[in-house]
Amino acid sequence: AAIPQFPHDFLWGVSTSAHQIEGAADERGASVWDAFTTVPGNVKDGSTAAVACDHYHRYREDVALIRELGVGAYRFSVSWPRVLPTGSGSVHTAGLDFYDRLVDELCAAGIRPVPTLFHWDTPLVVQEAGGWLKRDTAERFADYAAVVAARLGDRVTRWITLNEPAEHTLLGHALGQHAPGERLLFDALPVAHHQLLAHGLAVRALRAAGASDIGIANSHGPTWPASADAEDTAAADFYDILLNRLFADPLLLGQYPDGIGELMPSPDLAADLRTISAPLDWYGINFYQPTKVGAPLPEGTAAEFSGVTLPPELPFSPREIDGYPVTDFGWPVVPDALTELLTAFRDRYGDGLPPLVITENGCSYEGLDDQERIDYLEGHLRALHRALEAGVDVRGYFVWSLLDNFEWAEGYRRRFGLVHVDYDTLERTPKASYDWLREALRAQRP
Ligand code: GCO
């Protein structure tokens, strides 16, 4: 079955990230993920992204795959340590040249390049100087944004500053299950503030370079209380603040959720919030699943969800969402939650909400004949269309991901690609979902 008719100027795309697909780690500066993956146990299959999909050398073939798919845009990320090996100072020319060639290849194929400037691969030198716990990193990031915009800004108009600062804060700094492996719990909150500040300063740098189409991509999902009991609804509300509002409120309302602001390290919080809430041209949402949350489990056991183990010290505990199919990753498939999320965003942020773009949506399943991925994508596109019909202003949709790739702490075990990658031969093979999406897009009226 085809998918509903979307507006004729709806932006269709696919998403990837540098560390997850590029490889060629020996041709760039080190990042926190290179260091993290060398520590035994950090990556469940013991792998690293030193080679990954070798996109760095095979990008022409991958651009051809994007072109044949028929999407109009490609969201990738620029590796900060590939452009500035120590995070600042001298530019690694060969690194910046790679993105120059990639953008030219995309433009020649009639595909709009949509670079994300930060997708978790902080230069290791920046991390060793304090990383996102240090305010100065926000300034370094803005300088890096200016370097990239100066080189690519004549062909790139649509920019994304950060990818999922919420997950990078939670997994990378509060729980230590992602790079840089800090287990700070609530002492990780400054990481949120400094990423938001970096975003605001980068917006300023991009506008100074002439950019006129700027967004951010953050992970969001509805948080459902485990029960109507007060302690469960309070826990779900708290998780909603940490996952959703901690970032969206400063960006879209210019204020932190109640009680959070005074926890943030800032010489002048009001001034920082003015920088953070610089007007956006659109807001990107990465959506995968809803989360069910309740009060901490009585026995205080750590609770596992979507591959993440939350320690008993946190004032909430995730709960299984049963009654729905689950992906190979154990993530529940609940398309209606996307409609719920988007209408809730519209209701919460009202006029403060710029146009939305789904910057990531996808699922992990094995196999080339991936009917489950077709069902997942079709279900979520129908749910997205219901949000459009309810009046939510959504302008685009990007599938995570073009290629099977390095799935962070899971290594290569989780396959999110429309295209299969054989990691021994690096051969790409389009899956059934690739063919399905290509036909579905052809059926969209121009
Ligand atoms: C992100 C995401 C991706 C993941 C995808 C599946 O940060 O945008 O984490 O990098 O690969 O969400 O988990």
Side-chain angles (χ1 to χ4, degrees):
I3 52 179
Q5 284 298 324
F6 284 78
H8 74 279
D9 55 355
F10 195 74
L11 188 64
W12 298 94
V14 287
S15 289
T16 64
S17 88
H19 193 78
Q20 294 179 272
I21 68 166
E22 283 181 0
D26 53 348
E27 301 181 55
R28 57 170 170 74
S31 78
V32 291
W33 271 94
D34 300 310
F36 187 76
T37 52
T38 59
V39 176
N42 278 350
V43 180
K44 292 192 179 125
D45 65 1
S47 62
T48 77
V51 174
C53 306
D54 194 34
H55 172 75
Y56 183 78
H57 298 109
R58 297 164 189 262
Y59 69 92
R60 287 191 178 84
E61 174 186 358
D62 294 334
V63 169
L65 283 167
I66 299 169
R67 188 190 64 243
E68 283 150 29
L69 179 59
V71 294
Y74 172 48
R75 175 183 176 234
F76 59 98
S77 81
V78 177
S79 165
W80 185 354
R82 192 177 292 286
V83 173
L84 293 165
T86 63
S88 58
S90 63
V91 172
H92 175 48
T93 311
L96 197 49
D97 288 350
F98 166 67
Y99 296 108
D100 211 22
R101 289 197 308 275
L102 173 61
V103 164
D104 281 345
E105 196 75 14
L106 289 164
C107 291
I111 299 161
R112 174 185 283 191
V114 183
T116 303
L117 288 168
F118 180 70
H119 200 124
W120 301 356
D121 44 356
T122 311
L124 191 54
V125 170
V126 171
Q127 179 61 30
E128 286 162 351
W132 289 108
L133 281 168
K134 252 184 76 181
R135 185 183 178 87
D136 181 61
T137 297
E139 301 286 350
R140 297 293 66 75
F141 178 75
D143 296 343
Y144 151 65
V147 166
V148 177
R151 173 67 87 84
L152 305 182
D154 59 327
R155 287 149 288 162
V156 172
T157 56
R158 175 161 283 211
W159 296 88
I160 297 172
T161 53
L162 305 178
N163 173 76
E164 297 193 2
E167 300 300 331
H168 191 53
T169 304
L170 176 69
L171 301 177
H173 295 82
L175 303 181
Q177 293 171 20
H178 275 193
E182 304 277 341
R183 196 176 184 286
L184 303 169
L185 295 182
F186 289 107
D187 290 340
L189 280 173
V191 165
H193 185 67
H194 295 150
Q195 285 183 93
L196 284 165
L197 187 61
H199 160 81
L201 293 172
V203 168
R204 192 178 295 170
L206 291 169
R207 297 246 187 256
S212 59
D213 192 353
I214 304 172
I216 185 172
N218 209 358
S219 46
H220 290 292
T223 53
W224 296 345
S227 79
D229 294 353
E231 55 180 2
D232 284 341
T233 53
D237 289 346
F238 187 77
Y239 186 74
D240 180 39
I241 285 176
L242 281 188
L243 173 70
N244 294 310
R245 296 184 52 200
L246 174 60
F247 294 87
D249 284 16
L251 289 165
L252 301 176
L253 300 177
Q255 64 188 41
Y256 277 109
D258 31 309
I260 299 277
E262 47 264 31
L263 303 176
M264 295 308 190
S266 170
D268 181 344
L269 185 62
D272 280 0
L273 284 165
R274 281 194 298 276
T275 302
I276 291 167
S277 59
L280 285 173
D281 299 293
W282 52 277
Y283 187 87
I285 291 180
N286 294 354
F287 173 78
Y288 291 92
Q289 59 185 324
T291 310
K292 183 182 283 187
V293 173
L297 295 170
E299 60 277 12
T301 55
E304 163 100 15
F305 88 111
S306 74
V308 170
T309 304
L310 291 188
E313 301 97 297
L314 292 182
F316 51 80
S317 158
R319 299 291 202 284
E320 280 308 308
I321 294 184
D322 45 28
Y324 294 95
V326 290
T327 69
D328 288 356
F329 213 151
W331 298 3
V333 179
V334 190
D336 285 348
L338 177 56
T339 317
E340 177 187 333
L341 174 73
L342 296 179
T343 49
F345 245 75
R346 188 265 317 274
D347 299 343
R348 176 178 282 171
Y349 297 105
D351 299 341
L353 190 65
L356 298 174
V357 175
I358 304 301
T359 32
E360 280 180 32
N361 179 239
C363 52
S364 61
Y365 288 105
E366 290 294 319
L368 292 178
D369 188 10
D370 56 343
Q371 183 60 43
E372 304 102 328
R373 180 172 285 104
I374 293 171
D375 297 343
Y376 180 101
L377 295 176
E378 179 175 345
H380 284 81
L381 285 170
R382 290 186 180 285
L384 180 59
H385 197 266
R386 286 194 290 278
L388 270 172
E389 287 175 330
V392 181
D393 184 1
V394 185
R395 303 289 177 88
Y397 175 89
F398 288 69
V399 178
W400 182 271
S401 177
L402 170 68
L403 302 171
D404 291 339
N405 60 57
F406 177 73
E407 178 51 36
W408 309 114
E410 296 293 320
Y412 296 100
R413 303 188 314 166
R414 309 297 178 196
R415 291 181 177 269
F416 279 87
L418 294 166
V419 174
H420 176 273
V421 176
D422 178 325
Y423 294 110
D424 297 325
T425 66
L426 294 170
E427 183 183 3
R428 277 85 160 130
T429 309
K431 301 176 187 175
S433 57
Y434 177 98
D435 297 335
W436 170 83
L437 183 58
R438 182 184 54 206
E439 295 317 308
L441 293 178
R442 282 178 179 165
Q444 289 290 301
R445 279 193 300 273

